[in-house]
Amino acid sequence: MNILVDTPNDQTSRWSAYTNIPPQFLTLKLRRPAIVKKIKFGKFEKSHVCNIKKFRVFGGLEDEHMVLLLEGGLKNDNIPEVFNLRCMTEDGSENLPVLYLKIVPLLSWGPSFNFSIWYIEIHGQDDPMYTCARMKNYNTLREIEIIKLCLKHFRQQGYMSAFGALQEQTNVKLEHPLISELHKYLVVQGDFEKAERFIAECIDEGLMDEYLYKQDYKHNWHMKHTESEVKPGTRGGHQLVVDAKKRLIYLYGGWDGYQDLSDLWVYKIEEDEWTLLCERSEQSGGPTPRSCHKMIFDPISENIFILGRYLDNLIRSSECIKSDFYLYDTRARNWMQICDDTSQVGGPQLVYDHQMCIDADKRTIYVFGGKILTPRSVNATGAIEPEYSGLFSYHIATNTWTQILVDCHHTSASQTDVMSIKSRITHCMVFHNKQRKLYIYGGQRGKEDLDEFLSYDVDTQAISVLNKEHPNQGTTAGNEAKFEPSSGYTLRATIDCERDEIYVFSSLSKIKDRRDIQHMDASNSFWVYSLRQRKWSRIYYCRHSSQDGNSISRANILGANKGDVLEPCPRYAHQLVYDELANNHYLFGGNPGICQQQQLRLDDFWILSLEKPKRDEILKHCRFLVRKMRYEEMARQDPVSAMQYLRHNIADVIDHDDAEQLNNFHKLASLLFKTHDGCLEQRDSSVATPALCRNTEELDGNADVPVKADLSDGSATENISLESNESLATSGISETASSPSSSSCTKRARTECNPEFMNKRAFLFNKLVQLMPPSMVQPERNLSDFVVM
């Protein structure tokens, strides 16, 4: 059992797979059931080709039935890594006890080498006094879930006597009474008008708000052509801050391609107007011209704080690389130098490409990362590695600096009482004022791209790695190995603390694309990380063709046109800020990275608005689904009435300006001309599996696309996540039970309605309840899912 002993200097102290082809796995059996919260992976004393680059960890009480607890990967170094395991049930209501852990390697750092695990350490709670109570609660939850699955199956198959008896004996309700009422109106009675009114009431009461919150934003870029006679010129490496209360945006400094700037501007959002406050701030006691600095706005004092700058290597001397620190009083409209060198009073040395955030409640500014500027004579030999700055705090009221974390390569990092962090540049950092946490994403250190997503609790000093706590929920897009922003690109981040969302705009790669004259990989993408759901969503991705100076000049005026989409051209050294009151992002300037025109900078000003689907949109969608069902039944019984219903009632819930919706609306008319005699049994079986319906003109599985553009950016078959949901791969009605000729109990239970209609209504009901809160509705899975033949 080599993995139970941590001997990093022993080449043989490891578990190794026979080959590097999955599935290879290692199963650990615990002494007794436990709540396992963390897993630690030890490593060899240096990087090794057999280290696991990607892996999964499963757990359960039986070795044949385990659930996914973690999906992650190890870095190829000698530093042990600790990961949080999922230790709660999916609904978060109870602890998840495990007796077995299965580690499944997926990829090694040397693709042709076997997998190796050097050491495993498990952290959790296995005290029987604790776990026995957890086991009892867990088994009770499992029993209730089993009963619900049976109730769902009985109702869908029409076994209503068994359904009633089981519900009465166990006193377990399949769903909330409101949902049962919808089932009665829609499936049992076929009263579509009542069902429609009932759904409208549910939406008005906010029962579908949780579903709407989980939907992706729709985005819209709008280029601002301000009325101002004067406005900021072209630049990159500048800074923007927002005064949301007074509806103002401040801009300072930057590099115009030829020189650093020291001008200070204010943009009045309501008046759509730029005003120049200082043309040369150094003449008014303010900072000297600079770029790659950082700036924050304090909403309490209404002061702007500025720290850091970039200096060319040729002019770096001991005299000029002092870390000066300034504030601008927006009320009195004057500058003040707080300190001429923060490194002399416990603060950071002169840095650039760092990040700054403010905790306004505690009057504290946080500064993290950035590359430390050193005198030219020191770097001339090239023998010294670049130095990176750690995490500092500045308390405004007492004018005091504190170093919280040192860089991992700092001389004091090896001391046991000194906390360290892997510092970086070009990263994102935002502060959540309610959770009181700093969130840090991405960055670069030397030639290494860092894709870590860290959180730092400013009160407890706890550091967590978010993207290792939970598996990625998204699907892989393009060549992206993980569904999250690429840290190799220029990232700009903002946060909305009310919505618990972090926004990341990814644009031109500063390093890679500058080497490539044609910019074949130039693209823009916008991402949202939900802190509640702990997952990334990509709102849009837009790839741009090769750029040249002429196309960028046009982009200054018209924006980068991609079909009918108007958006900024890809860039770096730009600035993006968020107006939390209007929920708008503002972007200004930047460097398009054109090799032929290396001095070219931009002065375009953009607004990005994000909008979630609204209640009226989902109401329209639900009405369409219900009316389509009613129309299909009418078409079989009274084609003339069905034609009138199609023309007036269904047409009312269609967007006739949307070509795709209109096309699918026209396809519904084909039902009026279909003959149905003799094909009932064949049609019944097709209802059970939507995938089988895609070749029919009725589009049973696909006809929901008329509102696709409103509620989803996916393909037509992924309409608002209904069709893509695994539980909709079948309605829960087996093909055998769907056929009236093969199930006598189905005939007995459904004497008042065509069995095919009942099946279709049940399928529609299953789709509609996907929009309701999960705690109110029947289980997503089906009893038939567990039957393996």
Side-chain angles (χ1 to χ4, degrees), residues 550-725:
N550 293 330
S551 66
I552 295 302
S553 296
R554 288 198 304 276
N556 280 338
I557 303 169
L558 302 174
N561 238 326
K562 178 84 172 176
D564 295 330
V565 179
L566 193 68
E567 68 158 22
C569 64
R571 63 195 66 202
Y572 62 89
H574 53 289
Q575 266 306 299
L576 183 82
V577 290
Y578 181 58
D579 174 11
E580 58 192 23
L581 290 186
N583 303 127
N584 286 331
H585 282 85
Y586 290 85
L587 179 146
F588 185 90
N591 185 343
I594 305 300
C595 289
Q596 306 98 309
Q597 299 187 37
Q598 293 192 13
Q599 281 72 41
L600 180 62
R601 298 297 183 271
L602 304 174
D603 64 350
D604 46 353
F605 190 36
W606 295 82
I607 296 179
L608 172 65
S609 58
L610 301 173
E611 195 173 50
K612 290 276 189 182
K614 294 185 174 63
R615 287 181 179 180
D616 60 342
E617 293 177 68
I618 201 163
L619 175 59
K620 198 173 184 181
H621 173 66
C622 292
R623 280 178 169 158
F624 168 77
L625 293 177
V626 173
R627 292 181 187 186
K628 173 180 168 289
M629 182 74 254
R630 184 178 184 181
Y631 164 73
E632 287 180 358
E633 294 189 15
M634 291 176 69
R636 299 283 294 274
Q637 298 164 347
D638 187 355
V640 175
S641 298
M643 181 176 65
Q644 296 299 323
Y645 188 79
L646 177 67
R647 179 182 298 169
H648 299 291
N649 299 72
I650 296 184
D652 285 348
V653 292
I654 297 293
D655 182 359
H656 293 269
D657 294 328
D658 187 310
E660 190 172 7
Q661 290 193 31
L662 199 59
N663 181 47
N664 283 283
F665 171 63
H666 292 156
K667 285 181 179 179
L668 288 175
S670 64
L671 282 179
L672 298 170
F673 308 103
K674 275 199 173 256
T675 57
H676 304 285
D677 297 338
C679 65
L680 181 61
E681 186 172 335
Q682 177 187 352
R683 285 172 49 80
D684 284 341
S685 64
S686 72
V687 177
T689 309
L692 300 178
C693 305
R694 290 175 184 163
N695 294 328
T696 70
E697 290 186 25
E698 288 188 39
L699 299 172
D700 291 335
N702 275 353
D704 312 323
V705 292
V707 294
K708 179 269 301 178
D710 291 337
L711 296 171
S712 173
D713 291 328
S715 63
T717 58
E718 295 174 345
N719 174 47
I720 64 167
S721 303
L722 286 174
E723 294 300 335
S724 60
N725 194 308

Side-chain angles (χ1 to χ4, degrees), residues 242-255:
V242 179
D243 178 351
K245 186 178 178 181
K246 291 189 174 179
R247 321 298 297 132
L248 302 172
I249 297 175
Y250 292 93
L251 180 152
Y252 177 80
W255 173 265

Side-chain angles (χ1 to χ4, degrees), residues 331-587:
R331 296 169 180 166
R333 294 203 169 187
N334 57 30
W335 287 99
M336 184 181 86
Q337 186 182 67
I338 304 170
C339 176
D340 70 338
D341 191 354
T342 57
S343 67
Q344 300 301 309
V345 290
Q349 295 173 259
L350 182 59
V351 292
Y352 69 94
D353 277 348
H354 49 298
Q355 288 293 330
M356 280 173 60
C357 294
I358 185 167
D359 174 4
D361 297 331
K362 294 293 179 73
R363 317 295 294 124
T364 301
I365 295 172
Y366 292 95
V367 182
F368 172 63
K371 196 174 285 188
I372 297 173
L373 287 171
T374 51
R376 183 186 175 200
S377 57
V378 175
N379 272 344
T381 61
I384 296 181
E385 290 289 319
E387 294 180 59
Y388 295 88
S389 184
L391 175 64
F392 291 83
S393 67
Y394 172 74
H395 191 239
I396 297 172
T398 58
N399 188 27
T400 53
W401 284 95
T402 304
Q403 180 154 22
I404 303 171
L405 302 172
V406 302
D407 178 50
C408 59
H409 285 179
H410 193 270
T411 52
S412 64
S414 58
Q415 299 174 19
T416 55
D417 59 339
V418 175
M419 294 180 64
S420 65
I421 189 171
K422 194 170 191 177
S423 193
R424 60 203 69 196
I425 60 172
T426 71
H427 51 293
C428 303
M429 185 171 79
V430 292
F431 180 70
H432 196 302
N433 56 28
K434 292 182 172 27
Q435 297 180 5
R436 302 198 46 71
K437 288 181 179 180
L438 289 168
Y439 287 95
I440 301 164
Y441 182 78
Q444 294 168 319
R445 187 183 177 100
K447 295 182 179 179
E448 180 185 6
D449 287 339
L450 305 176
D451 60 356
E452 293 176 321
F453 194 4
L454 306 173
S455 72
Y456 175 78
D457 189 308
V458 298
D459 296 327
T460 66
Q461 294 193 314
I463 300 176
S464 301
V465 185
L466 274 72
N467 51 356
K468 289 181 180 175
E469 290 182 4
H470 297 268
N472 290 307
Q473 302 294 324
T475 55
T476 302
N479 295 324
E480 293 169 324
K482 290 180 292 185
F483 198 66
E484 60 186 44
S486 171
S487 57
Y489 284 74
T490 304
L491 305 179
R492 294 288 181 265
T494 60
I495 188 169
D496 189 316
C497 300
E498 295 296 330
R499 300 183 181 187
D500 289 328
E501 291 176 336
I502 296 172
Y503 310 105
V504 175
F505 177 58
S506 171
S507 198
L508 198 63
S509 170
K510 179 177 180 180
I511 298 173
K512 296 171 186 174
D513 287 337
R514 288 200 72 179
R515 294 175 182 167
D516 179 7
I517 296 175
Q518 297 300 314
H519 298 306
M520 295 307 291
D521 205 24
S523 62
N524 286 336
S525 59
F526 197 87
W527 301 76
V528 177
Y529 183 80
S530 170
L531 292 166
R532 298 175 194 171
Q533 297 176 268
R534 291 180 177 267
K535 76 168 188 176
W536 287 102
S537 299
R538 190 175 68 183
I539 305 307
Y540 83 96
Y541 171 83
C542 192
R543 195 178 186 121
H544 292 261
S545 57
S546 60
Q547 304 178 81
D548 56 39
N550 293 330
S551 66
I552 295 302
S553 296
R554 288 198 304 276
N556 280 338
I557 303 169
L558 302 174
N561 238 326
K562 178 84 172 176
D564 295 330
V565 179
L566 193 68
E567 68 158 22
C569 64
R571 63 195 66 202
Y572 62 89
H574 53 289
Q575 266 306 299
L576 183 82
V577 290
Y578 181 58
D579 174 11
E580 58 192 23
L581 290 186
N583 303 127
N584 286 331
H585 282 85
Y586 290 85
L587 179 146

Side-chain angles (χ1 to χ4, degrees), residues 19-33:
T19 72
N20 63 349
I21 303 173
Q24 304 287 324
F25 61 87
L26 172 67
T27 301
L28 306 177
K29 183 179 180 181
L30 309 183
R31 286 179 296 178
R32 50 182 174 263

Side-chain angles (χ1 to χ4, degrees), residues 318-329:
S318 301
E319 294 75 27
C320 70
I321 60 167
K322 292 180 179 180
S323 177
D324 47 7
F325 188 32
Y326 289 88
L327 75 75
Y328 178 78
D329 187 333

